[in-house]
PDB file of all heavy atoms in Angstrom:
ATOM      1  N   SER A 342      12.857   6.893  -7.383  1.00 94.00           N
ATOM      2  CA  SER A 342      11.670   7.754  -7.335  1.00 94.00           C
ATOM      3  C   SER A 342      12.025   9.109  -7.914  1.00 94.00           C
ATOM      4  O   SER A 342      13.062   9.687  -7.567  1.00 94.00           O
ATOM      5  CB  SER A 342      11.164   7.918  -5.894  1.00 94.00           C
ATOM      6  OG  SER A 342      10.673   6.707  -5.375  1.00 94.00           O
ATOM      7  N   VAL A 343      11.183   9.611  -8.813  1.00 95.00           N
ATOM      8  CA  VAL A 343      11.427  10.894  -9.471  1.00 95.00           C
ATOM      9  C   VAL A 343      10.139  11.695  -9.501  1.00 95.00           C
ATOM     10  O   VAL A 343       9.036  11.142  -9.431  1.00 95.00           O
ATOM     11  CB  VAL A 343      11.960  10.708 -10.911  1.00 95.00           C
ATOM     12  CG1 VAL A 343      13.316  10.020 -10.900  1.00 95.00           C
ATOM     13  CG2 VAL A 343      10.974   9.914 -11.762  1.00 95.00           C
ATOM     14  N   TRP A 344      10.283  12.999  -9.607  1.00 94.00           N
ATOM     15  CA  TRP A 344       9.140  13.900  -9.778  1.00 94.00           C
ATOM     16  C   TRP A 344       9.057  14.289 -11.236  1.00 94.00           C
ATOM     17  O   TRP A 344      10.067  14.662 -11.856  1.00 94.00           O
ATOM     18  CB  TRP A 344       9.312  15.138  -8.903  1.00 94.00           C
ATOM     19  CG  TRP A 344       8.156  16.100  -8.954  1.00 94.00           C
ATOM     20  CD1 TRP A 344       7.037  16.073  -8.179  1.00 94.00           C
ATOM     21  CD2 TRP A 344       8.019  17.234  -9.826  1.00 94.00           C
ATOM     22  NE1 TRP A 344       6.205  17.110  -8.509  1.00 94.00           N
ATOM     23  CE2 TRP A 344       6.782  17.846  -9.520  1.00 94.00           C
ATOM     24  CE3 TRP A 344       8.809  17.790 -10.833  1.00 94.00           C
ATOM     25  CZ2 TRP A 344       6.325  18.980 -10.177  1.00 94.00           C
ATOM     26  CZ3 TRP A 344       8.357  18.922 -11.497  1.00 94.00           C
ATOM     27  CH2 TRP A 344       7.127  19.509 -11.169  1.00 94.00           C
ATOM     28  N   LEU A 345       7.852  14.187 -11.803  1.00 95.00           N
ATOM     29  CA  LEU A 345       7.647  14.539 -13.205  1.00 95.00           C
ATOM     30  C   LEU A 345       6.579  15.629 -13.308  1.00 95.00           C
ATOM     31  O   LEU A 345       5.544  15.563 -12.625  1.00 95.00           O
ATOM     32  CB  LEU A 345       7.202  13.314 -14.012  1.00 95.00           C
ATOM     33  CG  LEU A 345       8.180  12.137 -14.083  1.00 95.00           C
ATOM     34  CD1 LEU A 345       7.553  10.981 -14.860  1.00 95.00           C
ATOM     35  CD2 LEU A 345       9.485  12.555 -14.723  1.00 95.00           C
ATOM     36  N   PRO A 346       6.795  16.622 -14.162  1.00 92.00           N
ATOM     37  CA  PRO A 346       5.842  17.734 -14.294  1.00 92.00           C
ATOM     38  C   PRO A 346       4.668  17.393 -15.209  1.00 92.00           C
ATOM     39  O   PRO A 346       4.378  18.095 -16.174  1.00 92.00           O
ATOM     40  CB  PRO A 346       6.715  18.851 -14.884  1.00 92.00           C
ATOM     41  CG  PRO A 346       7.714  18.117 -15.716  1.00 92.00           C
ATOM     42  CD  PRO A 346       8.005  16.829 -14.975  1.00 92.00           C
ATOM     43  N   VAL A 347       3.987  16.292 -14.920  1.00 93.00           N
ATOM     44  CA  VAL A 347       2.805  15.878 -15.674  1.00 93.00           C
ATOM     45  C   VAL A 347       1.735  15.447 -14.676  1.00 93.00           C
ATOM     46  O   VAL A 347       2.040  15.135 -13.518  1.00 93.00           O
ATOM     47  CB  VAL A 347       3.110  14.709 -16.640  1.00 93.00           C
ATOM     48  CG1 VAL A 347       4.119  15.126 -17.687  1.00 93.00           C
ATOM     49  CG2 VAL A 347       3.614  13.488 -15.881  1.00 93.00           C
ATOM     50  N   SER A 348       0.498  15.398 -15.115  1.00 92.00           N
ATOM     51  CA  SER A 348      -0.556  14.941 -14.216  1.00 92.00           C
ATOM     52  C   SER A 348      -0.398  13.451 -13.966  1.00 92.00           C
ATOM     53  O   SER A 348       0.053  12.692 -14.832  1.00 92.00           O
ATOM     54  CB  SER A 348      -1.939  15.230 -14.815  1.00 92.00           C
ATOM     55  OG  SER A 348      -2.200  14.376 -15.908  1.00 92.00           O
ATOM     56  N   SER A 349      -0.756  13.011 -12.773  1.00 93.00           N
ATOM     57  CA  SER A 349      -0.632  11.601 -12.423  1.00 93.00           C
ATOM     58  C   SER A 349      -1.527  10.740 -13.304  1.00 93.00           C
ATOM     59  O   SER A 349      -1.177   9.609 -13.655  1.00 93.00           O
ATOM     60  CB  SER A 349      -0.970  11.391 -10.946  1.00 93.00           C
ATOM     61  OG  SER A 349      -2.222  11.973 -10.624  1.00 93.00           O
ATOM     62  N   ASP A 350      -2.688  11.260 -13.710  1.00 94.00           N
ATOM     63  CA  ASP A 350      -3.602  10.496 -14.552  1.00 94.00           C
ATOM     64  C   ASP A 350      -2.996  10.268 -15.937  1.00 94.00           C
ATOM     65  O   ASP A 350      -3.086   9.167 -16.490  1.00 94.00           O
ATOM     66  CB  ASP A 350      -4.935  11.238 -14.675  1.00 94.00           C
ATOM     67  CG  ASP A 350      -6.037  10.362 -15.240  1.00 94.00           C
ATOM     68  OD1 ASP A 350      -6.369   9.358 -14.606  1.00 94.00           O
ATOM     69  OD2 ASP A 350      -6.552  10.690 -16.331  1.00 94.00           O
ATOM     70  N   ARG A 351      -2.365  11.286 -16.494  1.00 94.00           N
ATOM     71  CA  ARG A 351      -1.735  11.146 -17.807  1.00 94.00           C
ATOM     72  C   ARG A 351      -0.576  10.142 -17.747  1.00 94.00           C
ATOM     73  O   ARG A 351      -0.415   9.310 -18.644  1.00 94.00           O
ATOM     74  CB  ARG A 351      -1.226  12.503 -18.289  1.00 94.00           C
ATOM     75  CG  ARG A 351      -0.539  12.445 -19.643  1.00 94.00           C
ATOM     76  CD  ARG A 351       0.111  13.772 -20.000  1.00 94.00           C
ATOM     77  NE  ARG A 351       0.885  13.654 -21.239  1.00 94.00           N
ATOM     78  CZ  ARG A 351       1.809  14.525 -21.619  1.00 94.00           C
ATOM     79  NH1 ARG A 351       2.062  15.580 -20.868  1.00 94.00           N
ATOM     80  NH2 ARG A 351       2.479  14.358 -22.739  1.00 94.00           N
ATOM     81  N   LEU A 352       0.221  10.223 -16.699  1.00 96.00           N
ATOM     82  CA  LEU A 352       1.347   9.311 -16.539  1.00 96.00           C
ATOM     83  C   LEU A 352       0.852   7.866 -16.416  1.00 96.00           C
ATOM     84  O   LEU A 352       1.405   6.945 -17.032  1.00 96.00           O
ATOM     85  CB  LEU A 352       2.156   9.704 -15.301  1.00 96.00           C
ATOM     86  CG  LEU A 352       3.358   8.841 -14.929  1.00 96.00           C
ATOM     87  CD1 LEU A 352       4.365   8.770 -16.079  1.00 96.00           C
ATOM     88  CD2 LEU A 352       4.031   9.382 -13.660  1.00 96.00           C
ATOM     89  N   PHE A 353      -0.205   7.658 -15.633  1.00 97.00           N
ATOM     90  CA  PHE A 353      -0.773   6.320 -15.444  1.00 97.00           C
ATOM     91  C   PHE A 353      -1.280   5.744 -16.760  1.00 97.00           C
ATOM     92  O   PHE A 353      -0.989   4.585 -17.099  1.00 97.00           O
ATOM     93  CB  PHE A 353      -1.899   6.390 -14.417  1.00 97.00           C
ATOM     94  CG  PHE A 353      -2.717   5.145 -14.280  1.00 97.00           C
ATOM     95  CD1 PHE A 353      -2.180   4.004 -13.689  1.00 97.00           C
ATOM     96  CD2 PHE A 353      -4.030   5.096 -14.735  1.00 97.00           C
ATOM     97  CE1 PHE A 353      -2.936   2.851 -13.553  1.00 97.00           C
ATOM     98  CE2 PHE A 353      -4.801   3.957 -14.596  1.00 97.00           C
ATOM     99  CZ  PHE A 353      -4.249   2.830 -14.007  1.00 97.00           C
ATOM    100  N   GLU A 354      -2.041   6.536 -17.513  1.00 97.00           N
ATOM    101  CA  GLU A 354      -2.590   6.054 -18.776  1.00 97.00           C
ATOM    102  C   GLU A 354      -1.478   5.710 -19.760  1.00 97.00           C
ATOM    103  O   GLU A 354      -1.578   4.730 -20.518  1.00 97.00           O
ATOM    104  CB  GLU A 354      -3.531   7.104 -19.379  1.00 97.00           C
ATOM    105  CG  GLU A 354      -4.826   7.307 -18.594  1.00 97.00           C
ATOM    106  CD  GLU A 354      -5.673   6.042 -18.538  1.00 97.00           C
ATOM    107  OE1 GLU A 354      -5.598   5.223 -19.480  1.00 97.00           O
ATOM    108  OE2 GLU A 354      -6.402   5.856 -17.546  1.00 97.00           O
ATOM    109  N   PHE A 355      -0.412   6.487 -19.764  1.00 97.00           N
ATOM    110  CA  PHE A 355       0.705   6.208 -20.654  1.00 97.00           C
ATOM    111  C   PHE A 355       1.374   4.871 -20.303  1.00 97.00           C
ATOM    112  O   PHE A 355       1.706   4.072 -21.187  1.00 97.00           O
ATOM    113  CB  PHE A 355       1.731   7.347 -20.563  1.00 97.00           C
ATOM    114  CG  PHE A 355       3.027   7.062 -21.273  1.00 97.00           C
ATOM    115  CD1 PHE A 355       3.113   7.102 -22.648  1.00 97.00           C
ATOM    116  CD2 PHE A 355       4.167   6.737 -20.546  1.00 97.00           C
ATOM    117  CE1 PHE A 355       4.310   6.825 -23.300  1.00 97.00           C
ATOM    118  CE2 PHE A 355       5.365   6.458 -21.183  1.00 97.00           C
ATOM    119  CZ  PHE A 355       5.437   6.502 -22.568  1.00 97.00           C
ATOM    120  N   LEU A 356       1.566   4.618 -19.013  1.00 97.00           N
ATOM    121  CA  LEU A 356       2.288   3.416 -18.588  1.00 97.00           C
ATOM    122  C   LEU A 356       1.444   2.147 -18.698  1.00 97.00           C
ATOM    123  O   LEU A 356       1.983   1.062 -18.925  1.00 97.00           O
ATOM    124  CB  LEU A 356       2.786   3.586 -17.149  1.00 97.00           C
ATOM    125  CG  LEU A 356       3.874   4.643 -16.951  1.00 97.00           C
ATOM    126  CD1 LEU A 356       4.160   4.835 -15.469  1.00 97.00           C
ATOM    127  CD2 LEU A 356       5.155   4.259 -17.690  1.00 97.00           C
ATOM    128  N   ARG A 357       0.142   2.251 -18.537  1.00 97.00           N
ATOM    129  CA  ARG A 357      -0.697   1.048 -18.559  1.00 97.00           C
ATOM    130  C   ARG A 357      -1.152   0.666 -19.960  1.00 97.00           C
ATOM    131  O   ARG A 357      -1.505  -0.486 -20.214  1.00 97.00           O
ATOM    132  CB  ARG A 357      -1.907   1.219 -17.645  1.00 97.00           C
ATOM    133  CG  ARG A 357      -3.087   1.938 -18.272  1.00 97.00           C
ATOM    134  CD  ARG A 357      -4.291   1.966 -17.354  1.00 97.00           C
ATOM    135  NE  ARG A 357      -5.468   2.529 -18.022  1.00 97.00           N
ATOM    136  CZ  ARG A 357      -6.348   1.797 -18.703  1.00 97.00           C
ATOM    137  NH1 ARG A 357      -6.194   0.494 -18.817  1.00 97.00           N
ATOM    138  NH2 ARG A 357      -7.390   2.379 -19.282  1.00 97.00           N
ATOM    139  N   ASP A 358      -1.147   1.601 -20.891  1.00 95.00           N
ATOM    140  CA  ASP A 358      -1.675   1.381 -22.237  1.00 95.00           C
ATOM    141  C   ASP A 358      -0.662   0.618 -23.081  1.00 95.00           C
ATOM    142  O   ASP A 358       0.459   1.086 -23.307  1.00 95.00           O
ATOM    143  CB  ASP A 358      -1.999   2.724 -22.885  1.00 95.00           C
ATOM    144  CG  ASP A 358      -2.863   2.580 -24.134  1.00 95.00           C
ATOM    145  OD1 ASP A 358      -2.686   1.580 -24.858  1.00 95.00           O
ATOM    146  OD2 ASP A 358      -3.706   3.462 -24.375  1.00 95.00           O
ATOM    147  N   GLU A 359      -1.059  -0.562 -23.568  1.00 94.00           N
ATOM    148  CA  GLU A 359      -0.124  -1.398 -24.332  1.00 94.00           C
ATOM    149  C   GLU A 359       0.338  -0.729 -25.623  1.00 94.00           C
ATOM    150  O   GLU A 359       1.415  -1.048 -26.153  1.00 94.00           O
ATOM    151  CB  GLU A 359      -0.758  -2.761 -24.637  1.00 94.00           C
ATOM    152  CG  GLU A 359      -1.782  -2.802 -25.751  1.00 94.00           C
ATOM    153  CD  GLU A 359      -3.157  -2.320 -25.340  1.00 94.00           C
ATOM    154  OE1 GLU A 359      -3.336  -1.987 -24.145  1.00 94.00           O
ATOM    155  OE2 GLU A 359      -4.056  -2.285 -26.205  1.00 94.00           O
ATOM    156  N   ARG A 360      -0.423   0.244 -26.133  1.00 93.00           N
ATOM    157  CA  ARG A 360      -0.034   0.914 -27.380  1.00 93.00           C
ATOM    158  C   ARG A 360       1.221   1.764 -27.215  1.00 93.00           C
ATOM    159  O   ARG A 360       1.907   2.052 -28.191  1.00 93.00           O
ATOM    160  CB  ARG A 360      -1.191   1.781 -27.889  1.00 93.00           C
ATOM    161  CG  ARG A 360      -2.427   0.997 -28.314  1.00 93.00           C
ATOM    162  CD  ARG A 360      -3.578   1.933 -28.611  1.00 93.00           C
ATOM    163  NE  ARG A 360      -3.967   2.707 -27.435  1.00 93.00           N
ATOM    164  CZ  ARG A 360      -4.872   3.676 -27.444  1.00 93.00           C
ATOM    165  NH1 ARG A 360      -5.492   3.999 -28.587  1.00 93.00           N
ATOM    166  NH2 ARG A 360      -5.182   4.329 -26.336  1.00 93.00           N
ATOM    167  N   PHE A 361       1.504   2.181 -25.967  1.00 94.00           N
ATOM    168  CA  PHE A 361       2.686   3.017 -25.717  1.00 94.00           C
ATOM    169  C   PHE A 361       3.823   2.250 -25.061  1.00 94.00           C
ATOM    170  O   PHE A 361       4.878   2.819 -24.785  1.00 94.00           O
ATOM    171  CB  PHE A 361       2.308   4.200 -24.817  1.00 94.00           C
ATOM    172  CG  PHE A 361       1.178   5.039 -25.353  1.00 94.00           C
ATOM    173  CD1 PHE A 361       0.049   5.288 -24.587  1.00 94.00           C
ATOM    174  CD2 PHE A 361       1.246   5.567 -26.626  1.00 94.00           C
ATOM    175  CE1 PHE A 361      -1.000   6.040 -25.081  1.00 94.00           C
ATOM    176  CE2 PHE A 361       0.203   6.329 -27.138  1.00 94.00           C
ATOM    177  CZ  PHE A 361      -0.923   6.570 -26.363  1.00 94.00           C
ATOM    178  N   ARG A 362       3.608   0.952 -24.824  1.00 94.00           N
ATOM    179  CA  ARG A 362       4.601   0.202 -24.053  1.00 94.00           C
ATOM    180  C   ARG A 362       5.961   0.144 -24.746  1.00 94.00           C
ATOM    181  O   ARG A 362       7.007   0.171 -24.084  1.00 94.00           O
ATOM    182  CB  ARG A 362       4.086  -1.220 -23.784  1.00 94.00           C
ATOM    183  CG  ARG A 362       4.917  -1.955 -22.746  1.00 94.00           C
ATOM    184  CD  ARG A 362       4.384  -3.343 -22.436  1.00 94.00           C
ATOM    185  NE  ARG A 362       5.122  -3.909 -21.326  1.00 94.00           N
ATOM    186  CZ  ARG A 362       4.720  -3.917 -20.064  1.00 94.00           C
ATOM    187  NH1 ARG A 362       3.557  -3.389 -19.746  1.00 94.00           N
ATOM    188  NH2 ARG A 362       5.484  -4.441 -19.114  1.00 94.00           N
ATOM    189  N   ASN A 363       5.965   0.075 -26.061  1.00 91.00           N
ATOM    190  CA  ASN A 363       7.247  -0.018 -26.765  1.00 91.00           C
ATOM    191  C   ASN A 363       8.062   1.267 -26.675  1.00 91.00           C
ATOM    192  O   ASN A 363       9.211   1.313 -27.106  1.00 91.00           O
ATOM    193  CB  ASN A 363       7.030  -0.389 -28.242  1.00 91.00           C
ATOM    194  CG  ASN A 363       6.118   0.595 -28.962  1.00 91.00           C
ATOM    195  OD1 ASN A 363       5.826   1.678 -28.466  1.00 91.00           O
ATOM    196  ND2 ASN A 363       5.663   0.203 -30.149  1.00 91.00           N
ATOM    197  N   GLU A 364       7.480   2.320 -26.100  1.00 93.00           N
ATOM    198  CA  GLU A 364       8.214   3.570 -25.938  1.00 93.00           C
ATOM    199  C   GLU A 364       9.083   3.579 -24.688  1.00 93.00           C
ATOM    200  O   GLU A 364       9.906   4.475 -24.519  1.00 93.00           O
ATOM    201  CB  GLU A 364       7.254   4.764 -25.914  1.00 93.00           C
ATOM    202  CG  GLU A 364       6.485   4.959 -27.212  1.00 93.00           C
ATOM    203  CD  GLU A 364       5.698   6.251 -27.227  1.00 93.00           C
ATOM    204  OE1 GLU A 364       6.222   7.264 -26.719  1.00 93.00           O
ATOM    205  OE2 GLU A 364       4.562   6.260 -27.747  1.00 93.00           O
ATOM    206  N   TRP A 365       8.873   2.585 -23.784  1.00 94.00           N
ATOM    207  CA  TRP A 365       9.687   2.580 -22.559  1.00 94.00           C
ATOM    208  C   TRP A 365      10.174   1.189 -22.147  1.00 94.00           C
ATOM    209  O   TRP A 365      11.157   1.068 -21.418  1.00 94.00           O
ATOM    210  CB  TRP A 365       8.909   3.186 -21.382  1.00 94.00           C
ATOM    211  CG  TRP A 365       7.607   2.517 -21.059  1.00 94.00           C
ATOM    212  CD1 TRP A 365       6.375   2.887 -21.484  1.00 94.00           C
ATOM    213  CD2 TRP A 365       7.403   1.346 -20.243  1.00 94.00           C
ATOM    214  NE1 TRP A 365       5.404   2.021 -21.001  1.00 94.00           N
ATOM    215  CE2 TRP A 365       6.018   1.073 -20.226  1.00 94.00           C
ATOM    216  CE3 TRP A 365       8.258   0.512 -19.527  1.00 94.00           C
ATOM    217  CZ2 TRP A 365       5.467   0.005 -19.534  1.00 94.00           C
ATOM    218  CZ3 TRP A 365       7.714  -0.559 -18.824  1.00 94.00           C
ATOM    219  CH2 TRP A 365       6.337  -0.800 -18.835  1.00 94.00           C
ATOM    220  N   ASP A 366       9.501   0.126 -22.596  1.00 91.00           N
ATOM    221  CA  ASP A 366       9.816  -1.221 -22.117  1.00 91.00           C
ATOM    222  C   ASP A 366      10.822  -1.905 -23.038  1.00 91.00           C
ATOM    223  O   ASP A 366      10.538  -2.149 -24.222  1.00 91.00           O
ATOM    224  CB  ASP A 366       8.541  -2.056 -22.038  1.00 91.00           C
ATOM    225  CG  ASP A 366       8.787  -3.432 -21.441  1.00 91.00           C
ATOM    226  OD1 ASP A 366       9.883  -3.649 -20.873  1.00 91.00           O
ATOM    227  OD2 ASP A 366       7.892  -4.293 -21.540  1.00 91.00           O
ATOM    228  N   ILE A 367      11.979  -2.234 -22.494  1.00 84.00           N
ATOM    229  CA  ILE A 367      13.025  -2.877 -23.287  1.00 84.00           C
ATOM    230  C   ILE A 367      12.604  -4.273 -23.744  1.00 84.00           C
ATOM    231  O   ILE A 367      13.079  -4.788 -24.760  1.00 84.00           O
ATOM    232  CB  ILE A 367      14.343  -2.923 -22.472  1.00 84.00           C
ATOM    233  CG1 ILE A 367      15.528  -3.181 -23.404  1.00 84.00           C
ATOM    234  CG2 ILE A 367      14.274  -3.972 -21.370  1.00 84.00           C
ATOM    235  CD1 ILE A 367      16.871  -2.998 -22.730  1.00 84.00           C
ATOM    236  N   LEU A 368      11.679  -4.922 -23.013  1.00 79.00           N
ATOM    237  CA  LEU A 368      11.209  -6.251 -23.397  1.00 79.00           C
ATOM    238  C   LEU A 368      10.473  -6.243 -24.730  1.00 79.00           C
ATOM    239  O   LEU A 368      10.444  -7.241 -25.453  1.00 79.00           O
ATOM    240  CB  LEU A 368      10.282  -6.828 -22.319  1.00 79.00           C
ATOM    241  CG  LEU A 368      10.929  -7.404 -21.057  1.00 79.00           C
ATOM    242  CD1 LEU A 368       9.841  -7.811 -20.077  1.00 79.00           C
ATOM    243  CD2 LEU A 368      11.817  -8.582 -21.386  1.00 79.00           C
ATOM    244  N   SER A 369       9.865  -5.109 -25.072  1.00 80.00           N
ATOM    245  CA  SER A 369       9.102  -5.033 -26.319  1.00 80.00           C
ATOM    246  C   SER A 369       9.993  -4.844 -27.533  1.00 80.00           C
ATOM    247  O   SER A 369       9.528  -4.956 -28.672  1.00 80.00           O
ATOM    248  CB  SER A 369       8.095  -3.880 -26.247  1.00 80.00           C
ATOM    249  OG  SER A 369       8.778  -2.635 -26.210  1.00 80.00           O
ATOM    250  N   SER A 370      11.268  -4.542 -27.315  1.00 75.00           N
ATOM    251  CA  SER A 370      12.249  -4.371 -28.397  1.00 75.00           C
ATOM    252  C   SER A 370      11.798  -3.323 -29.411  1.00 75.00           C
ATOM    253  O   SER A 370      12.143  -3.397 -30.594  1.00 75.00           O
ATOM    254  CB  SER A 370      12.495  -5.710 -29.109  1.00 75.00           C
ATOM    255  OG  SER A 370      12.920  -6.698 -28.190  1.00 75.00           O
TER     256      SER A 370
END
Side-chain angles (χ1 to χ4, degrees):
S342 293
V343 296
W344 183 88
L345 298 177
V347 297
S348 71
S349 52
D350 194 62
R351 179 188 174 197
L352 178 58
F353 171 71
E354 291 298 331
F355 171 75
L356 293 173
R357 84 175 186 90
D358 194 325
E359 77 280 358
R360 294 172 298 174
F361 304 125
R362 192 178 187 98
N363 57 13
E364 297 188 39
W365 58 264
D366 185 13
I367 197 170
L368 282 175
S369 67
S370 303

